[in-house]
Amino acid sequence: VEPVQNSPQSIDKIINLTEQAESMTNNQGYIPEKTIFALESKFNQQIENIQSSDIDELATRFNQSLNTLKDRLKKQQQNAQKFITQIEKRIKAIKLQISDGHVSKADKSLHETLKQIDHSEVLSNSQKQQYHTQLKDIQSELGDLSSWRNWAHDNERENLAIKAEKLAENAQQNTSLETEFTDVTAQVNDLRKQWKKLRSRTSEDLW
C-alpha cells in the first residue's frame, strides 16, 4: 500500500510550498525570517516519508529558492544592524539638540528620522512600530517646547513692534539733525531683523 504522503494532496502541498518560496525570491521588499523557516519546516514535513522521484525536481527548486532567501536574509540582517546603529546615533543627536535648545533642528531631524524608519526595507513592521512608540515621548516634548517658544516669540514680536512705534514717534517729534534720524532708521531696521528671526504666528500686519 502506497504511503499517504504520496497522495496527490501531498504532492499539491509540496508544489504550493515550492511556488511560495520561488515567489518570495522575486519579492524585493522585506524578507520575514519566520516565514522562511516556516516554509522550510512545512516542506520537510511533507517530504519526510515520501519515496518518489516525483518530488526530486521540486525539492531541488525549493532548496535553491530557500538558499537564495537565506543569503538575502543574512544581508538584510547585516544592513538592518547598520541602519539601527545610524538611527540610534540620530536619536542621541536629537536629544542633544533639544537639551541645547535647538528645537527647530530637533523637530526637523525627528521628522526625517521617522520618515527613514517608515521607508526602510530592512526593518520589520514590528521594529518600525517600536521606534514610533519610543519616539512618542520626544515628539511630545518637542510639541510642548514649540508651544512655549511660539508663545514667547508672539510676546517678543509684540514688544519689538511697540519699540519700533516709539522710535517712529520720537523721530516725528524730533526736529534735530538728519544724523539722528538715520540712527533711528538703523534701530528700526535692527528691530525688523530680530522680528524676522522669531518663529511666531503673529501677523505681519502688526509690524
Side-chain angles (χ1 to χ4, degrees):
V1 178
E2 193 172 17
V4 175
Q5 287 85 349
N6 281 15
S7 66
Q9 290 86 352
S10 295
I11 298 297
D12 287 343
K13 287 180 181 179
I14 293 171
I15 292 172
N16 183 262
L17 290 169
T18 301
E19 290 176 347
Q20 283 185 53
E22 290 174 338
S23 177
M24 284 185 68
T25 62
N26 295 324
N27 180 11
Q28 298 303 313
Y30 178 80
I31 301 174
E33 181 179 2
K34 289 182 179 179
T35 303
I36 292 176
F37 290 105
L39 278 174
E40 183 178 25
S41 176
K42 289 178 182 178
F43 189 88
N44 290 336
Q45 287 175 6
Q46 290 297 324
I47 67 171
E48 186 175 8
N49 296 315
I50 294 180
Q51 300 294 330
S52 171
S53 59
D54 294 340
I55 65 163
D56 289 347
E57 182 183 349
L58 291 172
T60 299
R61 285 169 52 191
F62 181 85
N63 288 326
Q64 286 176 343
S65 297
L66 189 68
N67 289 334
T68 299
L69 289 170
K70 285 183 176 180
D71 287 341
R72 285 177 54 191
L73 176 62
K74 185 178 180 180
K75 291 179 182 178
Q76 176 181 282
Q77 290 171 335
Q78 290 171 345
N79 291 333
Q81 191 55 53
K82 292 178 182 177
F83 182 79
I84 288 170
T85 300
Q86 292 174 353
I87 292 298
E88 293 299 330
K89 286 182 179 178
R90 293 201 68 171
I91 292 173
K92 287 182 180 179
I94 290 169
K95 290 179 178 178
L96 185 60
Q97 287 172 338
I98 293 173
S99 65
D100 289 342
H102 302 304
V103 180
S104 295
K105 288 183 179 179
D107 190 54
K108 183 179 179 181
S109 295
L110 180 61
H111 279 87
E112 290 175 351
T113 301
L114 286 170
K115 189 175 180 180
Q116 280 188 319
I117 290 169
D118 288 338
H119 292 164
S120 171
E121 293 185 350
V122 296
L123 295 182
S124 66
N125 289 334
S126 175
Q127 287 174 308
K128 292 177 182 180
Q129 186 56 49
Q130 287 174 2
Y131 272 118
H132 274 274
T133 301
Q134 177 184 341
L135 295 174
K136 269 185 180 179
D137 289 341
I138 295 179
Q139 283 180 303
S140 178
E141 183 180 0
L142 281 172
D144 291 341
L145 288 172
S146 294
S147 296
W148 277 104
R149 185 187 57 182
N150 288 339
W151 175 81
H153 283 195
D154 288 347
N155 287 344
E156 184 59 27
R157 272 196 166 183
E158 291 178 12
N159 290 333
L160 290 172
I162 292 170
K163 289 179 181 179
E165 285 177 341
K166 287 181 178 179
L167 285 170
E169 290 172 3
N170 292 338
Q172 288 175 345
Q173 295 170 5
N174 196 338
T175 58
S176 58
L177 298 175
E178 185 179 345
T179 53
E180 293 184 12
F181 176 78
T182 303
D183 182 59
V184 170
T185 303
Q187 291 181 63
V188 172
N189 287 336
D190 182 61
L191 293 175
R192 178 58 171 164
K193 289 177 182 178
Q194 293 180 50
W195 169 285
K196 289 182 176 180
K197 287 180 180 179
L198 295 172
R199 179 179 176 180
S200 171
R201 294 160 294 185
T202 305
S203 171
E204 288 292 319
D205 293 340
L206 178 63
W207 181 259

